[in-house]
């Protein structure tokens, strides 16, 4: 089952929603340029780049990512960019939600890569319970790396202190657990794509 099946939307409708989100990100980029807000500019550029990645994969590798998965990634990116309009400063819950949703994206991609490696190698056989543990550990490690980046680039991103870091990590963990328990089946297509990339060119 794919995310498209769960959402009950056709591919065309989901792709239209993605386009709307991309236009919104472009608008936020223009706004960031007008008000000279570097955090918005950087976040919008990265967000747009990520949302166009599925199209790049389709053109370069012939891989058509599930439209629901593309929509999931796009929503995570736009929520992050919108946060720099003041939502992060005004609402603690908004920061928590964005961390949780972003964590689900990271968890999905990390799990897909890990599972593809497992399926590719006959020497690797991982119990399903450990896969869940891997997802949580991978997301927490990625979250800690992000917190370090926020500290290093404090001029672009506001650092709120230890309490905020702990809260961020908690909700990163929540997002990871959601994927570990319910979401691994939605990235089967991504697993197969990664697996294809691991095969020698002579076998492809």
């Amino acid at each position: 089952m794919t995310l498209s099946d769960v959402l009950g939307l056709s591919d065309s409708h989901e792709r239209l929603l993605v386009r709307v989100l991309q236009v919104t990100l472009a608008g936020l980029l223009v706004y960031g340029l007008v008000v000279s807000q570097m955090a918005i500019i950087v976040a919008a550029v990265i967000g747009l780049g990520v949302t166009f990645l599925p199209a790049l994969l389709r053109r370069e590798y012939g891989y058509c990512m599930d439209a629901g998965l593309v929509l999931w990634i796009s929503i995570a990116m736009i929520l992050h960019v919108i946060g720099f309009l003041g939502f992060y400063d005004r609402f603690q819950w908004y920061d928590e939600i964005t961390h949780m949703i972003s964590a689900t994206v990271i968890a999905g991609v990390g799990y897909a890569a890990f599972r593809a490696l497992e399926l590719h190698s006959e020497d690797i056989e991982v119990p399903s319970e450990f896969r869940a543990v891997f997802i949580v550990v991978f997301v927490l490690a990625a979250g800690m790396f992000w917190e370090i980046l926020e500290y290093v680039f404090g001029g672009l991103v506001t650092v709120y202190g230890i309490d905020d870091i702990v809260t961020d990590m908690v909700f990163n963990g929540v997002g990871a657990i959601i994927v570990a328990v319910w979401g691994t089946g939605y990235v089967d297509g991504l697993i197969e794509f990664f697996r294809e990339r691991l095969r020698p060119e002579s076998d492809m």
Side-chain angles (χ1 to χ4, degrees), residues 74-84 88 94 97-98 101:
S74 300
I75 289 174
M77 297 310 302
I78 197 168
L79 286 176
H80 180 60
V81 179
I82 290 175
F84 287 112
Y88 284 143
Y94 188 88
I97 288 175
T98 55
I101 294 176

Side-chain angles (χ1 to χ4, degrees), residues 174-195:
V174 171
I177 291 171
I178 289 173
V179 172
V181 176
W182 293 292
T184 55
Y186 299 128
V187 293
D188 288 344
L190 196 58
I191 292 172
E192 189 56 33
F193 169 72
F194 286 145
R195 192 179 180 187

